[in-house]
Amino acid sequence: MDEKVNQSRPTGCAIAILLLLFAAAGARVTWADEDGGADRTLYLTLEEGAGKVRMHAVFGAEEKSYTVSETPDKLRRDFTKLYRKLDKAKATRAVVRERLGRYEQPFYGPVAAFLDAAEQVQFIIDEHTIQYAFDLVNFKGRPLFLQKPISY
């Protein structure tokens, strides 16, 4: 029987730990037009509804929409369990990999070419997907936030 999962947002401790991880990794924030040239930002809009998580990607003049194969309930359980570990300072790379490792292909596979070409990624989320730390999910074997500047 599945354990009942609290659907609340991450606690302050979990968020603080994530911010420390970002800072330690050297993550930086840039603006879309910082170089005065073309916008090389990948915009990923995420929406949850009707038992599905849908993603819409915009990169320059190209767009792609797709549905994530995992259910919102499964995503919520995995991220909630990860946040609980973070709150207790028991999150290791192995724990993150265990909880989020299966999401690389469903989240980023359809837009891998966009991610390769993008200089940064901006997630546009709704009130349901705010609890998912999409930037912790691996892209090509490493957490996305270690490879690209991320904004929400």
Side-chain angles (χ1 to χ4, degrees), residues 19-44:
L19 289 174
L20 288 173
L21 287 171
F22 292 160
R28 69 180 194 96
V29 175
T30 60
W31 301 105
D33 63 353
E34 188 175 83
D35 65 357
D39 185 2
R40 305 295 299 163
T41 303
L42 171 59
Y43 298 93
L44 282 171

Side-chain angles (χ1 to χ4, degrees), residues 18 79 83 100 108 129-137 152:
L18 288 173
F79 278 97
Y83 294 141
L100 304 182
Y108 304 135
T129 58
I130 195 169
Q131 62 191 359
Y132 308 141
F134 293 103
D135 52 320
L136 283 178
V137 175
Y152 282 87

Side-chain angles (χ1 to χ4, degrees), residues 26-144:
R28 69 180 194 96
V29 175
T30 60
W31 301 105
D33 63 353
E34 188 175 83
D35 65 357
D39 185 2
R40 305 295 299 163
T41 303
L42 171 59
Y43 298 93
L44 282 171
T45 302
L46 301 111
E47 296 177 336
E48 181 184 311
K52 298 180 182 206
V53 174
R54 287 176 297 286
M55 299 181 82
H56 180 76
V58 176
F59 184 66
E62 298 182 64
E63 295 187 31
K64 183 176 258 192
S65 293
Y66 54 102
T67 301
V68 175
S69 57
E70 295 287 353
T71 67
D73 288 339
K74 177 70 172 132
L75 288 168
R76 196 172 294 110
R77 279 193 304 272
D78 284 341
F79 278 97
T80 299
K81 287 176 183 177
L82 175 62
Y83 294 141
R84 286 181 183 157
K85 294 272 187 184
L86 287 169
D87 278 343
K88 296 175 184 172
K90 293 183 179 180
T92 63
R93 285 184 185 169
V95 168
V96 173
R97 195 174 303 119
E98 172 192 341
R99 291 285 163 220
L100 304 182
R102 70 178 64 86
Y103 296 119
E104 180 173 351
Q105 180 59 35
F107 286 167
Y108 304 135
V111 293
F114 291 174
L115 277 166
D116 284 334
E119 291 178 3
Q120 59 187 355
V121 179
Q122 181 173 1
F123 290 98
I124 303 161
I125 54 180
D126 67 12
E127 67 272 11
H128 303 288
T129 58
I130 195 169
Q131 62 191 359
Y132 308 141
F134 293 103
D135 52 320
L136 283 178
V137 175
N138 282 352
F139 175 64
K140 295 189 174 181
R142 291 181 50 226
L144 184 60

